[in-house]
Amino acid sequence: MSRIFILLMALVIFSSSQALAFKLPSYQEVCALLTDLQGWQGEECSGVNMNTPMGEIVTAERSYLKGDKEIQVMVIHGIQATQFWQPFAYVTEVDTPENYSKLTTVDGFKVGISHEKQTNSGSVVVLLNEKDSMAATIFVVQYNDMSWKDGLRLARQFDWKKIEKAFK
């Protein structure tokens, strides 16, 4: 009976020390990193911190408007980041009449671009960090009515290194 008790206590202490060793930011802290863009009207940032059986999740999301254009910016940490990054994990470039996707490196970060040619919309996904060779934190810009190059230009206006640092 005492061996089971000692084992359970060791597991509790070990899991507590692991949780204390890696503190994730609150979504409010991440929202503060989604700064204003010159010439764009930023909406209020929203987000969530959540504990799940699959791990901890942090998301922050903010929309920006400029005339009839809108972009949505998100930071995602957790299992959702892995799922969002998945299309870029195995393909480096695809060009069809309907879509263009590629994986590239920008300022030392892996960046996935997915563009729908007919709607002139898509997303720029920046891999901020990995855990156990899987995406842990990503930064995403979803855009409409613009080229993927314009979407990437807007994404680069955010401080990826500062966002990455919040999750270390």
Side-chain angles (χ1 to χ4, degrees):
M1 186 72 97
S2 64
R3 285 185 184 169
I4 293 174
F5 179 75
I6 291 171
L7 180 60
L8 287 174
M9 289 304 295
L11 287 173
V12 167
I13 291 168
F14 177 75
S15 62
S16 296
S17 66
Q18 292 298 314
L20 294 173
F22 190 67
K23 169 90 171 79
L24 293 176
S26 69
Y27 79 86
Q28 294 94 338
E29 292 170 305
V30 179
C31 280
L33 300 172
L34 301 181
T35 56
D36 291 337
L37 291 175
Q38 187 172 350
W40 291 76
Q41 175 64 43
E43 300 291 317
E44 187 173 335
C45 186
S46 62
V48 67
N49 284 79
M50 184 184 325
N51 286 312
T52 73
M54 296 294 291
E56 202 169 349
I57 295 172
V58 179
T59 65
E61 179 178 334
R62 187 174 185 197
S63 296
Y64 298 82
L65 304 168
K66 182 179 184 179
D68 62 347
K69 294 190 185 282
E70 179 179 8
I71 62 170
Q72 204 165 357
V73 176
M74 297 174 281
V75 176
I76 304 169
H77 174 87
I79 191 71
Q80 291 174 316
T82 303
Q83 293 166 346
F84 213 103
W85 182 255
Q86 196 67 32
F88 305 108
Y90 302 105
V91 177
T92 56
E93 189 167 17
V94 176
D95 193 0
T96 70
E98 297 83 23
N99 298 296
Y100 178 69
S101 297
K102 77 173 189 172
L103 178 65
T104 188
T105 302
V106 177
D107 299 330
F109 290 92
K110 291 180 185 176
V111 177
I113 297 165
S114 177
H115 182 75
E116 294 181 28
K117 294 177 180 178
Q118 294 174 353
T119 60
N120 209 25
S121 63
S123 58
V124 175
V125 183
V126 181
L127 180 62
L128 297 176
N129 62 42
E130 295 178 283
K131 182 177 182 184
D132 300 326
S133 299
M134 298 185 71
T137 310
I138 59 171
F139 172 80
V140 181
V141 173
Q142 293 183 317
Y143 60 87
N144 293 307
D145 298 322
M146 65 181 73
S147 71
W148 67 263
K149 291 179 182 178
D150 287 337
L152 179 58
R153 182 183 51 76
L154 287 168
R156 291 185 74 187
Q157 291 184 34
F158 292 88
D159 191 338
W160 301 346
K161 289 182 181 182
K162 197 174 209 180
I163 299 169
E164 173 194 35
K165 188 176 179 182
F167 287 89
K168 288 195 174 195

